Every structure is written in structure tokens, then in C-alpha cells.
Amino acid sequence: MRDFTHDLSALALNTATLGHNVPGAGAGWSPERTLDACARRGIGGIVFWRREVTGRGAEIARRAREAGVSVAGLCRSPFLVGPMAPVGRQAVIDDFRSALDLAAELGAPVLTIVTGGVQPETKGVEESLKLVAGYLEEVVPYADACGVKLALEPLNPAYGGDRSCLTTTRDALDICDLVNAPGLGVAIDVYHVWWDTDLRYQLQRAGHRILGYHLCDWLAQTTDILLDRGMMGDGVADLKPIRAAVEAAGYSGFCEVEIFSVNNWWKRNPDDVLDIMIDRFRTVC
């Protein structure tokens, strides 16, 4: 297991940790200011959200190179299915391709996929997961041409109805097996998988298909399942054994801190958030 006590090169900031995934949230730092703050601290990577950088991909990519901070990924694909997905198959495909174009422009090696919830007019998740696999089969050749890998991110089952019919690492890997594309893998987010007693086996099964590892914590008394994530060490997730299992499976990439926290961390000074994030990364992750 890697030692991060004195090395932040594997630490990546997902800008949602500063509220940048939600319009009007957080302190409203620009991508440039965020990059400079990361560079000053030695943070090795950054993951932007599409809303921050659309129309500025090449410019932000150049700025990241100048700052010495790697663009580790892009959030995210459109919802592919469910009540919040674009209306109509072609609209989903078009938006998916737009996300891939932006990832390629940024130089982001990975686009995270959040599938969306249960497809209208259906029940359960099986039909929705079949539709997800169909979208991936159609889009994978385009992703390959863009030089961007696709990371399926299973979400906590609490999101099954509206945000993610994909709720287990097992189901994500089953889709990977079905689509059978070298550029398709999974993103492992502690917030969504900490509870899964089958996780260790599924990580071994995933192997080189682990394309991302996301850090935060699950608060025992959460007040909002979507927007009340904990800073690492403040919750009930057993962080070090999870990372040990991820790395034992062969993952050696960025550890991406992604904290949605509308009433706590997004209200704090971003400089303080980054400094605390670094301390927790070194000590509890």
C-alpha cells in the first residue's frame, strides 16, 4: 500500500469538494484559481465538472499543464436512463459524445459515467441496466477515437430510483463483461461502496479495469444523502482497508477527493478545505 505521508502526487481534487458541481455553491473560484491553489500545495491532479470548463477545454488544459497539475478526469456523462436523462435516445448519445469531446479537449483520460435511475415505464433495475449496456456498446468506439476511457460508477442503493440503477460493483463489472471493451472500466467511490461486504472480491475481479478511486466518508447521522458527505475520517467508512484492496487489485492511479457538502464544507474557506483535505489524506486514507 502506497505511503502518502509526504507525497501528494497521487492526490486529486474533484472540484465538487469546493461546490463547483452546483451553480451558486461554494466560493465560486475559477478553474485557474483552483489550479493555482492545487499547485501551491503539491496536489497532483484535478477533476473538473463539465459546467466549469465547457467552451474552455483547450484553454484550461493549457493552464493545467503550466501549473503542473494533471487533469485526472472529467465529471460526467449525461444520465443515460431514468427520469433525469435527456429525452430520447439520440439526445442521450449526442450529449454523451459532447462530454467525450470535452474530455479529449481537456486531456482527461477518463470520463465518469453515472447511469441515471430506473427508466420510466419500467420497474426494478434489470431493464434499465440493459439499456445502459446498449448505450455503452454504441458509444465505446467514439470514446476510443477520442482516447478517453469510460468509468462506470455504481452509486449507493439510496439513489437507485432517480440517479443510478447501477448500485453495486458487481453489476458494473457484469456490464463491463457484457460490453467487453478495453476502454471500459469502473470508478470506485468510497461513499457508494463502503457498505458492500462483497467489495473485496469484486475489486479482485476488476483488476486493471479500476479506472478511478474516490475518497470522502459516510456520516453516520447524514442529513442529506446527496449533499452531506463527510470529510475523510469523519464517518463510518473503513478507508485504509478499502484503499489497500483497491491497490492490491492493481490500481496505482489518483485518489480523488469528492465531497458534496452544501451545509458544511462548501460554506468554508476553500483554502481551509484544501488544507484539511491534505491532512486527512496523509493520516486517515
Side-chain angles (χ1 to χ4, degrees):
M1 192 162 136
R2 291 176 289 177
D3 181 3
F4 296 140
T5 307
H6 304 291
D7 182 9
L8 300 181
S9 62
L11 174 60
L13 171 72
N14 184 301
T15 61
T17 302
L18 304 182
H20 296 180
N21 55 319
V22 176
W29 278 10
S30 67
E32 291 87 350
R33 185 171 180 180
T34 306
L35 281 165
D36 288 344
C38 289
R40 285 196 305 272
R41 291 167 171 83
I43 295 170
I46 194 166
V47 175
F48 290 108
W49 284 69
R50 289 169 67 187
R51 63 171 298 275
E52 297 177 271
V53 294
T54 293
R56 303 184 64 205
E59 178 186 355
I60 298 303
R62 182 173 60 254
R63 186 68 184 81
R65 289 192 299 271
E66 291 170 354
V69 179
S70 297
V71 178
L74 178 67
C75 284
R76 56 174 172 70
S77 73
F79 292 122
L80 307 182
V81 294
M84 294 190 286
V87 177
R89 185 177 184 86
Q90 192 57 50
V92 172
I93 294 295
D94 289 346
D95 198 10
F96 206 157
R97 288 176 174 167
S98 293
L100 284 162
D101 289 339
L102 180 57
E105 192 176 6
L106 277 170
V110 177
L111 175 69
T112 302
I113 299 170
V114 177
T115 63
V118 173
Q119 184 74 355
E121 312 299 327
T122 72
K123 301 288 187 181
V125 300
E126 291 188 4
E127 184 61 30
S128 299
L129 291 174
K130 290 178 183 176
L131 291 171
V132 168
Y135 278 121
L136 293 172
E137 287 174 339
E138 184 167 348
V139 170
V140 156
Y142 193 85
D144 289 344
C146 290
V148 177
K149 293 185 177 181
L150 301 172
L152 280 165
E153 182 177 2
L155 301 194
N156 189 285
Y159 299 111
D162 60 352
R163 289 182 177 273
S164 182
C165 59
L166 183 68
T167 61
T168 65
T169 306
R170 179 200 64 209
D171 287 342
L173 290 171
D174 285 349
I175 291 176
C176 290
D177 289 344
L178 179 65
V179 177
N180 192 27
L184 178 63
V186 296
I188 303 299
D189 188 322
V190 166
Y191 193 73
H192 300 302
V193 303
W194 70 270
W195 57 272
D196 189 350
T197 56
D198 193 40
L199 180 61
R200 188 179 300 273
Y201 169 75
Q202 296 301 332
L203 293 173
Q204 292 173 352
R205 176 186 168 199
H208 69 277
R209 295 181 292 183
I210 301 174
L211 301 178
Y213 177 57
H214 303 174
L215 283 167
C216 58
D217 213 334
W218 181 280
L219 300 176
Q221 302 298 326
T222 184
T223 61
D224 187 309
I225 291 174
L226 179 62
L227 297 176
D228 188 35
R229 297 188 184 192
M231 181 65 71
M232 298 84 72
D234 287 347
V236 297
D238 201 2
L239 297 175
K240 286 190 175 181
I242 294 174
R243 180 165 70 88
V246 167
E247 294 186 0
Y251 182 75
S252 59
F254 283 106
C255 298
E256 174 187 335
V257 177
E258 183 183 36
I259 300 173
F260 297 7
S261 181
V262 67
N263 288 319
N264 185 358
W265 297 101
W266 291 358
K267 290 186 174 181
R268 302 195 189 194
N269 183 316
D271 283 310
D272 294 339
V273 174
L274 293 176
D275 290 341
I276 294 168
M277 178 187 83
I278 288 170
D279 179 68
R280 300 293 183 86
F281 179 67
R282 286 173 167 159
T283 58
V284 303
C285 295

